[in-house]
Amino acid sequence: MAKVILPADMGQLWEAMEAHPEARLYAGGTDLLVRLRAQAGPPPALVCLERLEELRIIEERGGELFLGAGATHAQILEHPKVRGRLPVLARALASLGSPQVRNMGTLGGNLVTASPAGDSLPPLYVLGAEVQLISRKAGRRLPITEFIKGPGRVDLNPGEVVAGVCLPKSEGWTLQHFEKVGRRDALAIALVSLAALLRLSSEGVVEEARLAWGSVGPTVMRAPQAEAALKGRPLGLASLGEAAELAGQALTPIDDLRASASYRRRVAGNLLLRLAEREA
Amino acid sequence: MRINFVLNGEPRRVECDPDRRVVDLLREELGLTGVKEACGAGECGACTVLVDGQARLSCLMLAAQLEGRELTTIEGLAAAGQTLDPLPASFVETGAVQCGFCTPGMVLSARALLERAPAPSRREIRQGLSGNLCRCTGYQKIIDAVELAAARGRGDEPWPR
């Protein structure tokens, strides 16, 4: 039998983590419990984060939007500051798992699991998210691109907890897009996903493009060549087709039991073409 | 470990290992076998229960997490006080039950949906039930059942005699 500790405030959290340095932090459990059950050997002690109000805060802080790591996907999705202002994130979260999984799983859990297929991650990359970490004594903050180091690998030290994610003030994006391709619409892992932010001039010329793909590399992948191919040109099938070609070359998908690398490469590029249909 | 929670409207105090999964606690210790386990990994919804009114997966929840919560299983819905819940009856009437293994989870997800949206569209019903897999019915009759229960819950449709 493993110990399960439910700290009610941050003081109790630090005490529990110091008393059980070997314990795993347990957020929504939707990934961790599945993995622990598949694992041989005695289960580790678990420190549950679900009762920590401090980790569930969603609020504006000095022009930034702070999303607490303990907030569930459903809570973030329903929050007016996300629903109205960050459709790229809202669409991604709406496609994550299922209603039950969204009621349980948390943003912090999705970050620390660091799956290349984590649905919240491509939007966080294009939005320029920074990850706020805290420990009993200090805090630090780093870009998501530095926090996530590889599949399942993050820059989190013993004694540290992810407090949340800071999103910079909206930079006037004309178009926010997310699409995920899976075997079915719900309860499906992404074979390929794309998050895109575009700023267009009044004439429809791309002033800035940010693109990030899921499930086509060890982490979420950007393709600066594809972004550059869109910049300064009118948004349409011609420029998007060229960007799709460049994206296909830049991404590094693998063959696995769900899809082949060549399929993923092709679909990743083709997902860009959808931007031509999107009303700005 | 002693855990205090409300089970189907009744305050309970149970003695159990804190890392016991809720699905095992319910089925094996409390005899509530309406809760089903199929995938055990969060991919099918058969083990759905309501925790403080929200649909959650009892195969991915530990007993310790129940402390202070209100838990509803399919048994609690059937016995919900004096008023029969319209959902189980509408599932039977519309032929939404074939093998029946997904039904408890399906009904509880529908209950959570109707609390949020008393008059859901068919699309909203599909989304509300998207975390519950059924391998028999093809889903159409399940959606019919939820529509009927919603209409009865609003008083727009009569109850059967």
Side-chain angles (χ1 to χ4, degrees), chain B residues 23-36:
Chain B
V23 64
D24 297 329
L25 170 69
L26 290 171
R27 288 183 56 86
E28 291 170 22
E29 283 165 47
L30 302 175
L32 297 177
T33 52
V35 187
K36 305 300 183 201

Side-chain angles (χ1 to χ4, degrees), chain A residues 123-180:
Chain A
L124 295 179
Y125 274 69
V126 289
L127 289 166
E130 297 207 333
V131 181
Q132 178 70 54
L133 306 174
I134 40 166
S135 64
R136 192 199 269 278
K137 295 200 182 68
R140 61 190 176 110
R141 185 173 153 159
L142 65 171
I144 189 168
T145 47
E146 287 170 31
F147 177 71
I148 295 181
K149 300 186 333 189
R153 287 193 300 120
V154 292
D155 182 356
L156 187 67
N157 296 323
E160 274 184 326
V161 170
V162 179
V165 157
C166 308
L167 299 176
K169 213 183 174 97
S170 164
E171 289 149 282
W173 302 108
T174 327
L175 204 157
Q176 300 193 23
H177 178 73
F178 177 85
E179 183 171 354
K180 161 174 156 179

Side-chain angles (χ1 to χ4, degrees), chain A residues 1-4 6 26-30 33-34 37 43 46 48 50-51 98-104 184 186-187, chain B residues 17-19 21 41-43 45 48 54-57 60-62 64-65 67 69 109 127-128 130-133 139:
Chain A
M1 181 190 78
K3 220 174 161 66
V4 181
L6 283 101
Y26 176 104
T30 54
L33 268 195
V34 176
R37 274 171 58 78
L46 297 171
C48 278
E50 66 172 38
R51 312 264 159 142
S98 67
Q100 294 93 318
V101 170
R102 295 194 288 274
N103 284 338
M104 302 172 78
R184 57 202 302 285
L187 285 171
Chain B
D17 290 346
D19 64 344
R21 295 182 309 161
E43 294 175 12
T48 300
Q54 271 193 342
R56 288 180 178 232
L57 301 169
L60 295 181
M61 217 183 145
L62 301 176
Q65 293 177 270
E67 180 63 40
R69 306 284 190 208
S109 283
Q127 285 171 345
S130 61
N132 295 78
L133 300 186
Y139 300 101

Side-chain angles (χ1 to χ4, degrees), chain B residues 5 30 37-38 62-63 72 87 96 119-120 122 129 132 136 141 145 150 158-159 161:
Chain B
F5 65 105
L30 302 175
E37 179 176 8
L62 301 176
T72 305
L87 277 161
R122 285 182 80 85
L129 302 182
N132 295 78
C136 310
K141 288 173 191 287
W159 286 77
R161 284 168 173 275

Side-chain angles (χ1 to χ4, degrees), chain B:
Chain B
M1 179 187 193
R2 186 169 295 160
I3 300 158
N4 293 290
F5 65 105
V6 174
L7 177 58
N8 294 332
E10 275 181 42
R12 296 291 288 260
R13 168 178 294 196
V14 301
E15 192 67 44
C16 94
D17 290 346
D19 64 344
R20 194 111 166 92
R21 295 182 309 161
V22 171
V23 64
D24 297 329
L25 170 69
L26 290 171
R27 288 183 56 86
E28 291 170 22
E29 283 165 47
L30 302 175
L32 297 177
T33 52
V35 187
K36 305 300 183 201
E37 179 176 8
C39 73
E43 294 175 12
C44 77
C47 69
T48 300
V49 294
L50 303 183
V51 178
D52 294 343
Q54 271 193 342
R56 288 180 178 232
L57 301 169
S58 62
C59 78
L60 295 181
M61 217 183 145
L62 301 176
Q65 293 177 270
L66 289 175
E67 180 63 40
R69 306 284 190 208
E70 279 192 36
L71 182 69
T72 305
T73 68
I74 193 69
E75 289 87 350
L77 216 58
Q82 304 303 313
T83 47
L84 185 67
D85 191 287
L87 277 161
S90 67
F91 268 64
V92 172
E93 269 176 68
T94 54
V97 180
Q98 285 189 29
C99 91
F101 202 84
C102 74
T103 310
M106 222 28 117
V107 169
L108 288 166
S109 283
R111 179 78 268 149
L113 169 71
L114 295 184
E115 295 299 326
R116 284 198 318 275
S121 65
R122 285 182 80 85
R123 183 159 173 271
E124 285 171 320
I125 295 172
R126 272 198 195 90
Q127 285 171 345
L129 302 182
S130 61
N132 295 78
L133 300 186
C134 174
R135 300 285 83 149
C136 310
T137 63
Y139 300 101
Q140 301 310 315
K141 288 173 191 287
I142 293 174
I143 298 166
D144 294 345
V146 178
E147 264 191 326
L148 177 62
R152 280 191 183 143
R154 299 190 305 269
D156 294 351
E157 235 357 274
W159 286 77
R161 284 168 173 275

Side-chain angles (χ1 to χ4, degrees), chain A residues 47-111:
Chain A
V47 175
C48 278
L49 304 174
E50 66 172 38
R51 312 264 159 142
L52 297 166
E53 292 296 334
E54 292 93 329
L55 296 185
R56 278 211 299 271
I57 296 166
I58 300 176
E59 65 179 15
E60 270 177 282
R61 286 183 181 170
E64 290 184 325
L65 182 62
F66 177 81
L67 305 174
T72 63
H73 303 301
Q75 283 165 346
I76 295 171
L77 190 53
E78 282 156 20
H79 200 279
K81 295 216 184 298
V82 173
R83 201 162 254 281
R85 294 209 329 225
L86 296 171
V88 66
L89 182 59
R91 280 162 182 255
L93 294 181
S95 80
L96 187 153
S98 67
Q100 294 93 318
V101 170
R102 295 194 288 274
N103 284 338
M104 302 172 78
T106 66
L107 188 67
N110 212 223
L111 275 168

Side-chain angles (χ1 to χ4, degrees), chain A residues 21-45:
Chain A
E22 77 298 345
R24 298 291 303 267
L25 294 175
Y26 176 104
T30 54
D31 284 317
L32 181 62
L33 268 195
V34 176
R35 263 183 281 146
L36 290 181
R37 274 171 58 78
Q39 201 171 284

